[in-house]
Amino acid sequence: MRLPDKQGHFGQFGGRYVPETLMPALLELEQAYAHYKNDREFKEEFAYYLRQYVGRPNPLYFAEKLTNRLGGARIYLKREDLNHTGAHKINNTIGQGLLAKRMGKSRVIAETGAGQHGVATATVAALMGMECEVFMGEEDIHRQSLNVFRMKLLGARVTPVTAGTATLKDAMNEAMRNWVTYVHNTFYVIGTTAGPHPYPMMVRDFQAVIGREAKAQHRKAEGKLPDCLVAAVGGGSNAMGLFYPFLNDHEVRLIGVEAAGYGISSGKHAAPLCAGEVGVLHGNKTYLLQDEFGQIAPAHSISAGLDYPGVGPEHAWLKESGRASYVSVTDEEALAGFQLLTREEGILPALESSHAIAYLLKLAPTLAKDKTIVVCLSGRGDKDIHTVAEAMGVKLQ
Amino acid sequence: MTRIGEKFKELGEKGEKALIAFITAGDPDLEFTGECILEMEKGGADIIELGVPFSDPMADGPTIQKSSERALTAGTTLPKILAMVKSVRQRSRVPIVLMGYFNPVFRFGVAKFAAAAVAAGVDGVLLVDLPPEEAGEFKKAAAAAGLDLISLLTPTSDAGRIAKVAELGSGFIYYVSVTGVTGARQSVADSMFGKVAEIREKSPLPVAVGFGISDPVQAARVASVADGVVVGSAIVKLFEEFSGEELKSRLRGFVAELKAGIGNC
């Protein structure tokens, strides 16, 4: 069965829970996407930019030292950190940018947490000559000042959001409000596999290049399918991109790693699949952090990109159907993962990706040496240097 | 016929238009909300809309966002709002509509909520983020319980959408006069006139117009074409400036001015 269904449902999850003002825009987007995803010219242009501009295909790197250190399965890193702008986010913004142009929209808006999606959207807006406004929680603006400046250099307007917890979820509320107001000329570039239909499907499709490349590269290197895929899950776009081409390969284990923050039992985490309840937020039904009365609870993660109380509806479905499993690692474990990869392989992972790396410490040693794991190294860690330094008690100038 | 239907019928017979006054339930606390409902009724409000506060009000502007935050800080929950309505019902027959977002209702349980709302004396529910495509289960539950499901139309709704949405709703149709979030505005868009006429062709339900209406002059302009006028943020703004008895008397006064304005259309 191909999911989502016509109304954007993955089982009970997904859908379109938005104000009526946006329904016509979503229907228009759905039609445009349905047309262009099969349009030869669109597909060629998308492939062209991924190759010539993003730098794809990026390598599937065999992390030999890390493998030896952990003493179990062979570990491969899918190097999304080597993409232009330093993360997987650009795959999706190229796709949505090309679509926005074809739909005749002159202005794009985006929400951002860590700033990677904001940078990727601002980049595409610069490339394609569109006006760009990025909504970002004030808290995240402090945590990610480097990315804020990058967006401004790229010509985007960065609008601070002070409402609520002043993080990613509030940025998304504000982007929705802006979209409702300027829907006639504005395209909302959502950065993850969440939001109302068709976004979870469309973002997944644009990100699926990660899994398609990884599958072919792994086959070439090992002559078989990998045994396990591991990816960090906030909204879930890098994980969905990696998992999707393997959904029907049932022998491949899919493992999503959520942010446990200070620990699940502390209540201060960002792990709705591990410890949330089903609800409706930002246009879709999914697992959410919420109280018994349906108020959304603040998330916490050291990684701004994972600091979100919801998760893409297809992940909710993969959990419910049992096709994928979801685990969590704490801030502290993620920092250890960051340092491990830096010291063993000379690669600074983003704090988001560090969660996936951290889980390898638990997983890899339990698997035999002829097994393989593909990890999505979704982004580079340069943007997180200040956060890491602070956590280590080091003061930078 | 529900209290909402009766109210529009009664006003229609008198040649009057409805004033629908919105406040957030629980701002600053629920006991006070109960008193405000009665004051606004005395001032001339025909229908009361109570905002159910939500942590992530993505269709609301700053005034109602802040009001919702105040209500949540005071510990307002959906069960407590229903209890408050139940107590108000002992003193008033004014129709009451709950307006809010789907998640608190979903968490309560859709069927359980519809029954509890009617038992408490709620007459209608308007869920901003529940378009017809997702409203099937709720519509069934509301119909079974005898609760009006107020549906929304907007300037972006084309003929197809109008037909689809009109078919879903009961009680009245809420036409959102602007593409945007809630909040007081300087003027009301002219596009309203054509759209309201178009909606009337497709639905026998009364049409109320809201979003951005902030004074008696605008209210009169809207009432010249609609069956009802919804005023929200302009009323809620009073909660930022005043409190206690002063607030109650200003509420009653402002509602009376709006109702008088509507009478002058």
Side-chain angles (χ1 to χ4, degrees), chain B residues 20-129:
Chain B
I20 304 171
F22 173 99
I23 57 173
T24 304
D27 176 15
D29 63 60
L30 278 170
E31 195 186 331
F32 192 76
T33 302
E35 293 165 23
C36 290
I37 293 172
L38 299 176
E39 288 296 326
M40 293 196 296
E41 186 187 14
K42 283 181 210 156
D46 299 295
I47 296 175
I48 304 292
E49 229 176 62
L50 287 180
V52 178
F54 181 50
S55 53
D56 293 78
M58 68 173 176
D60 284 300
T63 305
I64 294 178
Q65 282 177 44
K66 282 186 235 151
S67 175
S68 302
E69 274 182 35
R70 290 193 296 270
L72 289 174
T73 304
T76 306
T77 64
L78 191 48
K80 287 185 190 168
I81 293 171
L82 294 181
M84 181 271 294
V85 171
K86 195 166 190 172
S87 104
V88 167
R89 263 292 159 256
Q90 290 161 9
R91 289 175 282 168
S92 168
R93 273 190 52 79
V94 69
I96 294 177
V97 173
L98 297 188
M99 177 169 182
Y101 296 81
F102 185 48
N103 199 48
V105 169
F106 177 74
R107 275 296 265 175
F108 196 107
V110 164
K112 198 178 131 205
F113 167 76
V118 169
V122 171
D123 303 290
V125 173
L126 196 170
L127 296 170
V128 182
D129 56 351

Side-chain angles (χ1 to χ4, degrees), chain A residues 7 9 12 14-24 27 163-164 169-170 172-174 176-178 180-184 277-283 285 288 290-297, chain B residues 53-61 65 69 72 76-79 102-108 128-134 137 152-158 161 164-165 176 178-181 185:
Chain A
Q7 299 294 342
H9 297 116
Q12 64 161 317
R16 267 177 299 218
Y17 295 85
V18 294
E20 183 60 29
T21 310
L22 292 179
M23 278 305 295
L27 295 169
K169 88 175 168 77
D170 307 285
M172 199 149 178
N173 289 334
E174 207 53 42
M176 286 275 186
R177 290 181 189 121
N178 189 280
V180 166
T181 308
Y182 301 105
V183 63
H184 61 283
E277 304 272 356
V278 178
V280 171
L281 178 70
H282 293 148
K285 188 183 280 184
L288 301 172
Q290 57 181 321
D291 70 12
E292 61 177 307
F293 300 108
Q295 305 298 339
I296 306 307
Chain B
F54 181 50
S55 53
D56 293 78
M58 68 173 176
D60 284 300
Q65 282 177 44
E69 274 182 35
L72 289 174
T76 306
T77 64
L78 191 48
F102 185 48
N103 199 48
V105 169
F106 177 74
R107 275 296 265 175
F108 196 107
V128 182
D129 56 351
L130 194 70
E133 282 79 357
E134 303 293 347
E137 191 191 349
L152 284 170
L153 282 164
T154 75
T156 60
S157 309
D158 60 14
R161 282 310 288 173
K164 190 169 183 127
V165 171
V176 174
V178 290
T179 60
V181 293
R185 285 173 176 81

Side-chain angles (χ1 to χ4, degrees), chain B residues 135-204:
Chain B
E137 191 191 349
F138 188 72
K139 185 187 175 176
K140 239 186 268 167
L147 188 66
D148 278 331
L149 174 54
I150 317 294
S151 55
L152 284 170
L153 282 164
T154 75
T156 60
S157 309
D158 60 14
R161 282 310 288 173
I162 292 175
K164 190 169 183 127
V165 171
E167 185 195 345
L168 171 82
S170 59
F172 63 92
I173 286 176
Y174 188 137
Y175 177 69
V176 174
S177 66
V178 290
T179 60
V181 293
T182 57
R185 285 173 176 81
Q186 299 300 321
S187 61
V188 178
D190 284 332
S191 60
M192 165 188 76
F193 294 97
K195 277 288 177 191
V196 171
E198 201 182 339
I199 294 166
R200 286 195 191 289
E201 284 170 26
K202 302 252 165 46
S203 169

Side-chain angles (χ1 to χ4, degrees), chain A residues 86-327:
Chain A
H88 71 291
K89 294 292 184 186
I90 190 90
N91 303 327
N92 168 48
T93 57
I94 293 277
Q96 291 197 43
L98 291 171
L99 194 56
K101 279 226 96 153
R102 279 172 170 74
M103 292 173 70
K105 306 285 182 182
S106 57
R107 179 173 179 269
V108 294
I109 57 171
E111 83 294 338
T112 198
Q116 292 305 94
H117 173 58
V119 166
T121 305
T123 299
V124 166
L127 173 70
M128 298 180 188
M130 292 183 287
E131 191 190 329
C132 178
E133 182 169 359
V134 178
F135 297 89
M136 188 168 185
E138 191 136 78
E139 171 81 7
D140 292 335
I141 286 182
H142 292 307
R143 287 196 275 193
Q144 304 286 348
S145 56
L146 191 65
N147 271 342
V148 173
F149 188 55
R150 282 168 84 190
M151 286 184 267
K152 288 180 180 168
L153 287 173
L154 288 160
R157 191 164 130 193
V158 180
T159 301
V161 178
T162 53
T165 53
T167 58
L168 182 54
K169 88 175 168 77
D170 307 285
M172 199 149 178
N173 289 334
E174 207 53 42
M176 286 275 186
R177 290 181 189 121
N178 189 280
W179 195 28
V180 166
T181 308
Y182 301 105
V183 63
H184 61 283
N185 72 343
T186 297
F187 188 105
Y188 181 13
V189 181
I190 293 184
T192 191
T193 48
H197 179 65
Y199 284 99
M201 168 181 80
M202 181 169 74
V203 176
R204 172 199 74 193
D205 293 350
F206 288 142
Q207 291 292 2
V209 64
I210 301 172
R212 281 197 305 272
E213 283 179 11
K215 200 173 192 174
Q217 290 165 326
H218 188 276
R219 190 173 294 281
K220 199 167 172 199
E222 295 277 342
K224 59 169 190 164
L225 287 168
D227 297 284
C228 282
L229 306 181
V230 176
V233 177
S237 69
N238 87 85
M240 227 30 255
L242 177 64
F243 293 175
Y244 187 61
F246 293 90
L247 286 186
N248 294 325
D249 301 313
H250 289 273
E251 64 274 37
V252 181
R253 274 174 70 191
L254 312 178
I255 302 171
V257 185
E258 292 194 304
Y262 297 134
I264 298 287
S265 58
S266 73
K268 291 183 162 49
H269 58 80
L273 289 168
C274 293
E277 304 272 356
V278 178
V280 171
L281 178 70
H282 293 148
N284 64 108
K285 188 183 280 184
T286 186
Y287 282 91
L288 301 172
L289 304 182
Q290 57 181 321
D291 70 12
E292 61 177 307
F293 300 108
Q295 305 298 339
I296 306 307
H300 165 79
S301 169
I302 191 171
S303 141
L306 302 182
D307 201 347
Y308 181 67
V311 62
E314 192 161 10
H315 285 294
W317 162 249
L318 292 176
K319 172 192 156 79
E320 197 179 74
S321 66
R323 176 64 190 94
S325 54
Y326 294 89
V327 298

